[in-house]
Amino acid sequence: TYLCVCLSPPLKMACGFCSLRPTLTSLFSSSHALALAPTPHWRSSSLRVSRALSATTLPISSSSSSFFTWDDVFEIGRKESASPQNASSDLTGFLEKIDRCNRGSEKLVEFIPFVIEEQIVGYIHKGFTEYLREFHDTFTFSKNGCVGGDYVTLSLMFEKPEDRTRAVADVIKILGDKGILPGIRNELYPVKPSFNAPAVFSLERAAAPYFGLKGYGVHMNGYVERDGQKSLWIGKRSLTKSTYPGMLDHLVAGGLPHGISCGDNLVKECDEEAGISKVIADRAIPVGAVSYMDIDQYCFKRDVLFCYDLKLPEDFVPINQDGEVESFKLIPVAQVANVIRETSFFKANCSLVIIDFLFRHGFIRPESSGYLDLYRSLRNGDCS
């Protein structure tokens, strides 16, 4: 998720305890939420108006995701989808999906910084810190430091990244066993202040939102062009998935684990999720990134999704290899646009990546009211 706002300013360590630079006072003050997430004042009033979804629209909640079928998808998709102009005619439904990924900015004041090696690497909800206080040998809490704010760090006894990884992993296991941290995946994510910075330690993927870490992923639009018409391969997630079961998804997408590049991760995901060979996957073109900041109770997702386009052979048929996708369908892009605009069938962050595709492939046009507002909203967060 990008308005280039630095969320990871350097901190100054002194005397074995954290002493923060005076220049960071505003960040830790009661008004620091404004520094974290600029108010989207640039949105036009026409796009701020809430739009009633059609009677066939399902709630965003993943609990209702299994109650729609491919027939529902195609029925909604065919409505007014004959041309790119129709995808561009009403942008409000698209903005609603972007807003869904950027909830809770008013709750930023409920979070405090998570500091490692003189840098802010995340944000932790004050309520969640109460669970961490039990592990005083691992976590250290600063109260009303020189900048007038609290923050969380790790004990100074953990000097090396691998030591921090092991110590925090022990805590995560206990919290997972207690049901405080659900959905443990045994997959490590790097903890770092920005994409190109070295990792200061690694953390269980399921715990990352509870520590407000920067998260990175790769999402690929796999499309086919036939008789001048572009169609996207869309997946329907398995009903056994722990997150967003039964919802629509990209042909290929995945988080970026520790120790793998975006390109290599994409090739791996292409094979696992769609049976795409490395020869074909290597043709995927990196086309930019989208970002968002989403707060839901104790979870703070600060995600950046690297976007790829892959033009596939007309006779290509995806075959899922890892059991995470129930089925695939090839759908005209204009119909996909309708489904995003009119329903909540798609996994939330997939909508952002497809809306970006609509811009780049001419399905959303500059003549549309709110064009630039919608474009900017796709990059709502820290771009580092």
Side-chain angles (χ1 to χ4, degrees):
T1 25
Y2 286 76
L3 301 175
C4 294
V5 180
C6 180
L7 291 181
S8 304
L11 307 178
K12 180 71 174 176
M13 294 293 191
C15 302
F17 201 73
C18 191
S19 174
L20 306 183
R21 291 182 183 177
T23 54
L24 295 180
T25 302
S26 61
L27 182 60
F28 292 90
S29 69
S30 60
S31 62
H32 78 273
L34 295 179
L36 292 175
T39 302
H41 56 83
W42 33 262
R43 289 183 181 168
S44 67
S45 58
S46 63
L47 287 179
R48 286 199 301 266
V49 176
S50 175
R51 180 173 178 271
L53 299 182
S54 68
T56 54
T57 300
L58 294 183
I60 288 171
S61 168
S62 61
S63 63
S64 61
S65 62
S66 60
F67 297 124
F68 71 87
T69 67
W70 282 116
D71 287 341
D72 297 324
V73 173
F74 281 105
E75 180 181 353
I76 293 168
R78 283 191 290 265
K79 294 180 179 179
E80 302 178 356
S81 62
S83 67
Q85 287 85 343
N86 286 320
S88 186
S89 61
D90 183 359
L91 304 185
T92 312
F94 297 138
L95 184 63
E96 287 175 346
K97 303 311 180 295
I98 296 174
D99 285 344
R100 167 61 181 81
C101 290
N102 290 280
R103 300 171 298 175
S105 60
E106 72 281 1
K107 298 179 181 178
L108 282 167
V109 293
E110 299 175 12
F111 290 76
I112 60 176
F114 181 36
V115 176
I116 305 291
E117 288 190 358
E118 307 182 359
Q119 299 176 95
I120 297 175
V121 296
Y123 295 87
I124 305 176
H125 193 278
K126 294 174 184 177
F128 189 74
T129 62
E130 297 306 310
Y131 297 117
L132 303 182
R133 290 182 188 276
E134 299 180 18
F135 306 94
H136 48 80
D137 290 338
T138 302
F139 292 95
T140 299
F141 294 81
S142 172
K143 182 71 175 176
N144 295 324
C146 63
V147 296
D150 304 345
Y151 56 92
V152 185
T153 186
L154 293 178
S155 170
L156 293 177
M157 66 183 294
F158 307 119
E159 297 181 355
K160 298 179 180 179
E162 53 268 30
D163 296 334
R164 299 177 191 130
T165 298
R166 283 193 294 268
V168 177
D170 291 339
V171 174
I172 298 305
K173 184 180 186 310
I174 294 172
L175 296 180
D177 290 342
K178 291 181 177 180
I180 295 170
L181 278 174
I184 299 298
R185 305 186 185 189
N186 297 314
E187 180 179 348
L188 293 177
Y189 267 21
V191 178
K192 49 188 180 179
S194 63
F195 182 68
N196 291 316
V200 294
F201 74 97
S202 298
L203 180 70
E204 158 64 37
R205 176 179 179 178
Y210 291 87
F211 287 82
L213 304 183
K214 291 298 296 293
Y216 302 92
V218 294
H219 280 234
M220 191 187 80
N221 298 293
Y223 71 98
V224 171
E225 190 164 8
R226 184 181 298 138
D227 298 327
Q229 176 177 266
K230 293 176 182 175
S231 297
L232 281 166
W233 277 106
I234 301 298
K236 197 170 189 294
R237 294 163 69 90
S238 168
L239 291 174
T240 62
K241 287 282 290 181
S242 60
T243 56
Y244 305 98
M247 298 192 77
L248 301 184
D249 205 335
H250 281 105
L251 176 62
V252 171
L256 189 64
H258 179 63
I260 187 171
S261 69
C262 288
D264 288 343
N265 192 45
L266 184 71
V267 170
K268 176 180 74 70
E269 296 287 350
C270 278
D271 175 56
E272 294 175 355
E273 297 194 355
I276 300 173
S277 69
K278 185 178 186 302
V279 172
I280 295 178
D282 281 338
R283 301 174 191 165
I285 300 172
V287 292
V290 299
S291 60
Y292 59 95
M293 298 197 304
D294 179 57
I295 293 176
D296 182 17
Q297 300 182 40
Y298 288 169
C299 293
F300 186 1
K301 291 178 67 65
R302 301 190 293 133
D303 288 355
V304 176
L305 308 180
F306 294 99
C307 304
Y308 290 78
D309 283 357
L310 176 60
K311 185 176 181 179
L312 291 159
E314 291 186 25
D315 60 354
F316 171 80
V317 177
I319 302 175
N320 180 244
Q321 307 293 315
D322 59 11
E324 296 187 358
V325 181
E326 174 189 290
S327 55
F328 294 99
K329 295 293 182 182
L330 185 64
I331 306 176
V333 174
Q335 293 188 22
V336 175
N338 263 357
V339 174
I340 289 177
R341 186 172 53 197
E342 299 292 337
T343 78
S344 297
F345 291 170
F346 271 92
K347 179 174 175 284
N349 62 3
C350 294
S351 295
L352 275 64
V353 178
I354 296 176
I355 292 170
D356 184 65
F357 181 93
L358 297 177
F359 272 104
R360 292 183 291 98
H361 290 261
F363 289 86
I364 298 177
R365 301 189 173 194
E367 294 78 14
S368 302
S369 175
Y371 178 91
L372 292 178
D373 293 346
L374 181 64
Y375 182 81
R376 283 192 292 265
S377 70
L378 291 170
R379 291 153 186 88
N380 184 37
D382 180 15
C383 61
S384 62

